[in-house]
Amino acid sequence: MKIYGHNGKVLRVDLSNRAITEEELPEIMYRRYLGGGALSLYYLLKELKPSVDPLGPENMLIFAASAVTGTPALGFSRFTVAAKSPITGAFGEAEAGGWWGPELKFSGFDAIIIKGKANKPVYLWIHNGKAELREASHLWGQLARETQETIRKELGDEKIRIALIGPGGEKLVKFACILNELKHANGRTGLGAVMGAKNLKAIAVRGNKKMSLYDPERVREIVKRVLETYKENPGTLGEVGTARGVMPLNADGILPTRNFTSGSFEKAEDICGETMRDTILVGRGTCYACAVRCKREVKVDEPYKVDPIYGGPEYETIAALGSLCGIGDLKALALANQICGAYTIDTISTGTTIAFAMECFEKGIITKKDTGGIELKFGNVEAMLQMVEQIGKREGFGNLLAEGVKIAAEKIGKDAQEFAMHVKGLPLPLHEPRGKTGVGLGYALSPTGADHLEIPHDPFFESEAGLKGILPLGIIEPLSAYDLSSRKVRMFMYLQQLYNLFNSIGLCIFTANPFGPLSINNVVDYTNAVTGWDTSLWELMKVGERHSNMSRIFNLREGFTSKDDCLPDRFFQSLEGGTLKGKKIYFQEFQQAVKTYYQMMGWDENGFPLKGKLEELELEWAYGPRPS
Ligand code: SF4
């Protein structure tokens, strides 16, 4: 049978015995799981035993594109990396854009499953249907840029796409990321450390296979229509980047500042996207086939040297290392972004962990004796930069912070836990749940820990105009961003399945409604034109639901309970500054919303998926023993 949109092939690599094999994946698997997060979860649940050490050879590391990655529409460039996370011990998943995912498809494979540990550093080279492990001892210790340049030179092709780790991954920083093209990160949940623990420095891919399309004419039509829609209403994302959010969030009192004590930062204007555009921006990067070009490329000559090769800081980076640490120096943030890239450490976790340490320092819980003489106060630019570097190198006080905010707080003791902003061990991203309750539910209920990309954020859906993009889901009434009623839970639950679908089909959220030109119905039409499946929004949303249920089971197997579906205590206390000063979330109301969510999902009062729910999703094989 002819297949469309994908290769029907998964590559399996066992690093312990250097065995490389291919697996044919039947069409039904693509239709049921699509790829990305859902397909990764299928393999993790089937093949990974519970309770393994995330940094041991037993952990699996999966790279997965989707049934439509690498086809011509904008936005379908993303791929997932998944494993048991070393920072949470839960399901770990992170998506990245760029060209690596499409190039994997062109090389002849849709996913890679990695097991074991190499006895010395290696990198994987996949080229037009062939795969081999190559010696990487000479690359061990190299920064990201040097690693990319050396591999490209060695393989004699400048267009090779490389997903790699720097010293942060090698030294097992618990929130190390994986970088491709030096700009696109599988940022969260510490998957770079899993790669480092396996002695796997990089995966280089190249191929010239084109994906066959079921209905090329229809594909062309949809691409053309979506591009026209984008040209009619391009918005500001391309011009200003994700940091366009800094000023509006600051005005609304929800720009996380000084470790989430305040929602407004007096130097917000100095670090916003418009200031970046007018000062240090030298180019706009993009991902495969994308017209939006939202990626930043910045250059600084003094007082620091920052090279555009590492791109430029996104909103999350600017808020994490900027307002959250009380830093209003854009050039320093550009440098911090570059250091994080060179060492491959997640900018969000790095910033949230440093902000935690700054608050501990200000409160006298740690002193200069602990920090090696560094005055680790909010607003101290040099201290922030030193800490970023120390974390990347696992040196000095940075070695403790490299464990992540939860473990660092436990080791520091005293009252440090109070200032450790995390969910399930994952440091918080830069969105204030006291001003967006759906984001609060997302932080608490995401299987990967505090994740800001669990749903599009509440303020979009306060007006009829904002609802336009999600009407096909049956969400037809606006709701306040502060609402926590069952209607908000319903909205959250539907949008969560939509984003799980996007993470499985490899679609960038910025190209789809409500941010970008692709409508939900475009996604369905396009999937049909590429694959010839005659699928529907109903069937695709079931993939999102499978993702939620499989990840829930993964975490239950690892010992997580409903007690872990919570927020840091700080959010049940009043905001201390900004226009939302005094705003808090009510604990009982939040707990009730979590229980309502379980019911809507078909889970019992402890958050266990019911047998019938799993059977409805064709996941009966995943039903396991329940605690007595
Ligand atoms: S919108 Fe930005 S992040 Fe998304 S695919 Fe386009 S360039 Fe990449």
Side-chain angles (χ1 to χ4, degrees):
M1 194 180 92
K2 187 156 169 47
I3 50 175
Y4 298 99
H6 58 88
N7 296 294
K9 267 191 203 167
V10 172
L11 187 75
R12 284 185 178 268
V13 180
D14 187 334
L15 292 167
S16 297
N17 57 22
R18 295 188 169 234
I20 300 181
T21 53
E22 286 179 21
E23 173 182 316
E24 302 265 325
L25 199 57
E27 183 79 359
I28 193 170
M29 290 290 292
Y30 290 91
R31 192 149 176 173
R32 217 171 256 159
Y33 300 102
L34 286 170
L39 186 67
S40 302
L41 273 159
Y42 169 82
Y43 282 113
L44 287 173
L45 277 186
K46 286 268 182 183
E47 299 181 21
L48 185 69
K49 288 198 182 77
S51 307
V52 302
D53 175 1
L55 298 177
E58 302 83 12
N59 200 3
M60 295 165 66
L61 184 64
I62 301 176
F63 291 70
S66 88
V68 297
T69 313
T71 55
L74 83 173
F76 289 94
S77 58
R78 291 174 83 76
F79 68 100
T80 295
V81 182
K84 179 174 173 179
S85 161
I87 192 162
T88 64
F91 170 55
E93 175 187 24
E95 279 69 37
W99 275 262
W100 193 92
E103 198 73 35
L104 174 70
K105 297 277 298 277
F106 305 154
S107 81
F109 299 97
D110 303 318
I112 310 168
I113 299 173
I114 297 163
K115 294 183 177 179
K117 175 183 179 176
N119 61 2
K120 56 185 179 174
V122 293
Y123 71 90
L124 179 62
W125 168 220
I126 305 171
H127 184 215
N128 276 331
K130 295 199 179 77
E132 62 180 292
L133 287 166
R134 295 177 72 115
E135 170 68 23
S137 298
H138 60 300
L139 300 171
W140 212 246
Q142 281 193 4
L143 299 177
R145 178 182 188 163
E146 287 73 46
T147 305
Q148 176 171 284
E149 285 171 358
T150 310
I151 293 177
R152 281 184 172 163
K153 206 166 160 199
E154 237 166 69
L155 298 174
D157 185 347
E158 280 304 303
K159 290 196 172 148
I160 285 166
R161 311 292 180 182
I162 304 169
L164 55 79
I165 55 165
E170 296 169 13
K171 289 178 187 281
L172 313 182
V173 173
K174 293 278 172 60
F175 44 87
C177 63
I178 299 168
L179 216 55
N180 77 82
E181 303 290 299
L182 307 180
K183 300 179 179 81
H184 309 276
N186 300 90
R188 309 235 64 208
T189 68
L191 301 165
V194 178
M195 200 159 156
K198 292 187 173 302
N199 270 335
L200 180 63
K201 180 71 175 171
I203 304 180
V205 291
R206 187 85 167 107
N208 51 21
K209 190 171 176 192
K210 288 277 163 282
M211 294 300 105
S212 56
L213 306 171
Y214 174 77
D215 187 344
E217 189 50 41
R218 182 86 184 116
V219 166
R220 263 193 298 278
E221 261 173 47
I222 298 170
V223 171
K224 190 165 166 254
R225 185 153 33 92
V226 170
L227 279 174
E228 280 165 7
T229 308
Y230 176 65
K231 278 182 194 148
E232 277 160 26
N233 185 14
T236 57
L237 181 62
E239 189 201 328
V240 191
T242 50
R244 67 181 173 166
V246 171
M247 293 311 285
L249 291 175
N250 193 51
D252 291 346
I254 46 176
L255 178 68
T257 300
R258 295 188 180 82
N259 204 26
F260 287 93
T261 53
S262 176
S264 294
F265 183 44
E266 64 283 1
K267 294 183 180 169
E269 204 171 344
D270 296 341
I271 58 172
C272 70
E274 291 78 0
T275 301
M276 195 189 328
R277 176 197 60 198
D278 298 339
T279 56
I280 59 174
L281 191 77
V282 293
R284 282 168 53 185
T286 191
C287 303
Y288 169 82
C290 186
V292 180
R293 296 171 59 224
C294 78
K295 310 299 289 185
R296 305 291 89 181
E297 290 172 356
V298 303
K299 186 169 185 288
V300 177
D301 293 315
E302 52 73 33
Y304 320 105
K305 288 266 176 238
V306 178
D307 193 309
I309 197 151
Y310 282 108
E314 301 277 351
Y315 163 75
E316 296 292 330
T317 308
I318 283 180
L321 292 151
S323 57
L324 204 71
C325 293
I327 306 279
D329 180 336
L330 190 56
K331 290 181 176 178
L333 297 180
L335 178 62
N337 182 67
Q338 177 168 276
I339 300 169
C340 288
Y343 286 88
T344 65
I345 54 175
D346 168 34
T347 58
I348 296 175
S349 303
T350 302
T352 302
T353 306
I354 293 174
F356 149 78
M358 285 176 163
E359 188 165 4
C360 287
F361 191 92
E362 299 239 346
K363 298 246 161 53
I365 292 171
I366 54 172
T367 66
K368 277 205 214 174
K369 246 170 98 182
D370 301 293
T371 63
I374 296 171
E375 183 89 357
L376 199 53
K377 284 191 165 164
F378 286 124
N380 186 339
V381 173
E382 289 310 315
M384 180 274 287
L385 290 170
Q386 277 177 289
M387 273 305 130
V388 174
E389 190 137 2
Q390 283 194 7
I391 290 170
K393 292 179 172 169
R394 262 198 182 271
E395 283 179 3
F397 190 62
N399 190 35
L400 175 64
L401 298 187
E403 289 297 307
V405 75
K406 178 172 180 267
I407 302 286
E410 283 166 10
K411 291 198 171 160
I412 290 168
K414 303 172 201 165
D415 290 326
Q417 302 262 19
E418 218 182 294
F419 314 119
M421 306 303 284
H422 69 88
V423 175
K424 298 184 178 76
L426 192 68
L428 246 66
L430 286 304
H431 301 275
E432 174 52 73
R434 283 167 285 194
K436 318 182 200 183
T437 52
V439 170
L441 288 171
Y443 285 171
L445 289 163
S446 164
T448 56
D451 183 351
H452 62 294
L453 297 178
E454 202 63 8
I455 53 159
H457 293 187
D458 314 45
F460 280 111
F461 312 120
E462 290 194 296
S463 67
E464 301 276 352
L467 285 177
K468 219 168 145 232
I470 57 170
L471 290 175
L473 297 178
I475 303 172
I476 53 178
E477 285 173 327
L479 284 175
S480 155
Y482 312 128
D483 191 299
L484 255 181
S485 68
S486 57
R487 290 292 168 95
K488 175 58 79 66
V489 177
R490 174 181 178 269
M491 177 188 277
F492 166 77
M493 183 252 192
Y494 287 5
L495 291 171
Q496 184 191 41
Q497 309 327 311
L498 182 72
Y499 267 32
N500 286 340
L501 157 63
F502 287 178
N503 284 343
S504 299
I505 206 166
L507 177 61
C508 171
I509 59 158
F510 294 129
T511 59
N513 285 180
F515 297 107
L518 270 166
S519 71
I520 292 174
N521 288 329
N522 285 152
V523 175
V524 180
D525 285 352
Y526 186 70
T527 305
N528 277 325
V530 169
T531 64
W533 284 344
D534 193 17
T535 189
S536 61
L537 181 57
W538 167 268
E539 188 186 13
L540 293 181
M541 288 290 281
K542 288 287 162 192
V543 178
E545 234 184 309
R546 281 190 191 101
H547 183 295
S548 281
N549 281 273
M550 287 190 290
S551 53
R552 187 74 186 178
I553 288 170
F554 185 100
N555 286 356
L556 291 169
R557 287 192 337 181
E558 297 296 338
F560 286 82
T561 70
S562 56
K563 287 201 179 72
D564 297 298
D565 297 333
C566 63
L567 289 173
D569 286 347
R570 178 157 277 172
F571 298 121
F572 303 110
Q573 297 155 11
S574 299
L575 256 169
E576 291 172 23
T579 48
L580 282 192
K581 189 174 174 187
K583 193 92 188 154
K584 65 177 182 179
I585 295 174
Y586 290 92
F587 182 71
Q588 305 288 356
E589 198 186 4
F590 191 77
Q591 273 199 320
Q592 181 54 50
V594 170
K595 297 283 174 207
T596 304
Y597 168 83
Y598 291 172
Q599 290 173 5
M600 288 185 184
M601 288 296 290
W603 297 354
D604 72 14
E605 66 278 11
N606 296 313
F608 283 85
L610 297 173
K611 192 160 182 275
K613 171 45 73 179
L614 294 182
E615 285 171 345
E616 187 253 323
L617 295 169
E618 302 168 292
L619 297 175
E620 58 288 331
W621 53 268
Y623 188 75
R626 298 296 187 263
S628 51

